[in-house]
Amino acid sequence: ADTDFELRLAYRHGEPVRVSVADERAFQPGINAIALTYDYALKPAYAPVMTAVQASSGKRVNRLTHINTSSGDLLNKLEAVRLVCQETGCAQRYLAHDALNGLAQVTAHIDDATGSTEHRARFQAYLGHVQDNDRSLGIAMTDAKGDRSKKPHQQANADTYVHIVERSAKGIVISGTKAIVTGAPYMHELLVMPSRNMGPDDADFAVCCAVRVDAPGITMVSRPAGRPGEKLEHGDALFSRK
C-alpha cells in the first residue's frame, strides 16, 4: 500500500486530525521499526535469520511472514525478533508471524474435522498475498468487550465486538471496535481475529478477515504506546468498520 494515504485519527487532545502517515513525526519510531524488518532481510549477513523458504510455495519470504515447519524455524524467529529489538526496542511485526501461524493451524484443524479443504485454501491464498507483497499486518484481536460477564451476542451494544452485519455474493460487511492494535496507523492491513471462545449464538462475531488500513469506513483513535508518562511512539489504536 502507498504510504501517503490519509487516516482520520484522534490523538492530540482528543481532536481528530488528518495526517500523512509517512510525514507524521509522532509515528516515525514505529515506522522506522517496521522499516528495519525490511532492511535487515536485504542484508546478506542477516538474511539467513531474517528470511526463510516457505514450504508451500518454495519462495524465499520475510521471516516474519513465514509459516514454521521445524524447531529451527522457531529458533530463527526468536533470533530475528531479538536482532530487530536490539536496534528498535520493539519488532512489532512479529505479531503478524504469530497470527499467521495460528491461522495455519486453526484452518487445518477445521478442515480436518469437517473433511473440507475450503479453509486451508482461503488461508493459503491470503498467505500468498501477504508473502508476495511483503505486507506488514496489524493484529486486530482484542475486542472492546463491553459487559465482560456477557457473551458477544448478549451485549447491549453489538459494536463492542467486531461482527458481520451483512453478507452478499461480494463478501461480508463488518462493524465493531478493536483495541490495542499495535502499529495500526502504519501497517498495510489489519488482520481481524476473534478474541474469545464463542458458541453457535455468536456466529456473526466469530469472524476472521483482513481489512486494508485505508479502507473506507475505518476510524482510528491513536495514543502513545506504553505506560502513562512514558514518551514512546504512537502505536496502539482502536478502529471501527461500518
Side-chain angles (χ1 to χ4, degrees), residues 49-90:
V49 170
M50 290 301 301
T51 66
V53 175
Q54 182 58 49
S56 59
S57 67
K59 297 177 180 179
R60 183 163 291 278
V61 301
N62 192 289
R63 174 70 62 183
L64 301 182
T65 67
H66 177 59
I67 303 301
N68 300 318
T69 59
S70 68
S71 58
D73 278 338
L74 293 169
L75 291 172
N76 280 329
K77 183 260 185 169
L78 291 175
E79 288 302 316
V81 172
R82 186 176 292 116
L83 180 65
V84 174
C85 285
Q86 286 173 349
E87 183 70 22
T88 69
C90 181

Side-chain angles (χ1 to χ4, degrees), residues 17-31:
V17 295
R18 298 188 67 85
V19 301
S20 167
V21 170
D23 295 333
E24 175 51 58
R25 292 184 62 187
F27 295 155
Q28 285 306 307
I31 292 172

